[in-house]
Amino acid sequence: MKVKVLFFASLREQLGTGALELELPAGVTTVGALRAHLRARGGAYESALGDKRALRMSVNQDMVPPSAPLAAGDEVAFFPPVTGG
Amino acid sequence: MKVSVQREDFDLSREVRAVSRSAAVGAVASFVGLVREVKMTLEHYPGMTERAIAAIVEEARARWRILDCTVIHRYGELSPGDQIVLVAVAAAHRGDAFAACEFIMDYLKTRATFWKKEHRAEGASWVEARAADDEKAERWQQ
């Protein structure tokens, strides 16, 4: 299953990229599992996506909890808590 | 109802006039947020930001009697004194206009996908989200 992954703000800077196209292994079926999958890349991914980091996530531009399921073609995003207004 | 995420500045009086056109409007509450003290860059998530703000406005419409509403939020490079955000709510009576305007701002602070980066003399840094903003949004759920 292929998905698009976006990163914003401090997370984008730490990872050095704002967007990835990923082919997910069979076991990665939720947003939380995708976060763990990305963390396993090591380096900046391991530290920036660590469990202690408060991150928000969205699927197809709706904010979701880590348990949210993924489907082929989804646009998934990870980002820090928002600071607009 | 109008939602705009834009680089350009906005004109408060023009936006207030625009939501006041209906003869049924008896009250308009508006809020303008300004950049304080330091230069900043505002990043956002194009597409999701507009969706999130539109959902907040819909929620406000379900709670209060709103006749019209405009939300404008800027992104890009901003300097102290610049306008960042406008919420203008028109209603028949002030109670609905005041409450909906504050509700939209409180929700926008915690749900609209914007991130501020401040540029100080000692360097640039991303603004941390404040727990107080979460609490302000949560009190509408009580």
Side-chain angles (χ1 to χ4, degrees):
Chain A
M1 157 165 88
K2 211 171 199 170
V3 295
K4 185 176 181 185
V5 187
L6 304 176
F7 306 108
F8 290 94
S10 54
L11 190 57
R12 174 178 51 74
E13 286 186 349
Q14 284 159 2
L15 299 178
T17 184
L20 296 173
E21 297 276 349
L22 279 186
E23 180 67 42
L24 299 183
V28 180
T29 57
T30 65
V31 184
L34 172 57
R35 180 173 175 171
H37 175 66
L38 288 166
R39 209 159 51 220
R41 292 179 152 209
Y45 284 87
E46 193 171 358
S47 48
L49 294 164
D51 280 332
K52 277 177 285 182
R53 178 89 181 269
L55 289 178
R56 304 287 182 259
M57 45 219 95
S58 64
V59 174
N60 299 327
Q61 306 190 350
D62 281 322
M63 207 99 80
V64 294
S67 59
L70 293 176
D74 277 349
E75 177 179 297
V76 186
F78 294 92
F79 43 83
V82 300
T83 56
Chain B
M1 310 284 154
K2 169 177 146 185
V3 172
S4 177
V5 179
Q6 61 189 46
R7 278 189 185 277
E8 307 74 44
D9 198 10
F10 50 82
D11 180 339
L12 171 64
S13 55
R14 194 175 67 193
E15 299 302 335
V16 166
R17 269 200 307 280
V19 296
S20 310
R21 286 197 191 108
S22 161
V25 171
V28 178
S30 66
F31 173 87
V32 175
L34 305 175
V35 177
R36 208 158 26 91
E37 292 165 16
V38 291
K39 280 195 172 196
M40 58 174 65
T41 307
L42 263 143
E43 177 175 330
H44 82 111
Y45 181 169
M48 179 160 173
T49 311
E50 290 86 346
R51 275 169 65 96
I53 297 172
I56 294 166
V57 170
E58 280 313 301
E59 206 165 329
R61 288 181 69 181
R63 287 177 177 230
W64 293 281
R65 287 163 182 262
I66 297 174
L67 294 168
D68 203 356
C69 171
T70 288
V71 179
I72 300 174
H73 202 301
R74 296 177 68 194
Y75 65 93
E77 315 291 320
L78 295 168
S79 298
D82 282 353
Q83 305 186 110
I84 305 180
V85 59
L86 162 77
V87 177
V89 180
H93 303 287
R94 71 181 185 283
D96 289 314
F98 273 133
C101 186
E102 190 171 20
F103 169 87
I104 290 168
M105 264 316 297
D106 285 349
Y107 268 40
L108 193 148
K109 279 270 188 190
T110 58
R111 297 187 180 190
T113 40
F114 289 98
W115 300 275
K116 287 186 185 126
K117 189 180 198 180
E118 293 183 340
H119 301 279
R120 296 176 184 276
E122 60 270 27
S125 61
W126 292 95
V127 173
E128 295 285 325
R130 299 164 65 228
D133 287 334
D134 287 328
E135 287 157 19
K136 275 195 174 146
E138 276 161 19
R139 81 200 150 107
W140 293 101
Q141 285 158 24
Q142 286 154 17

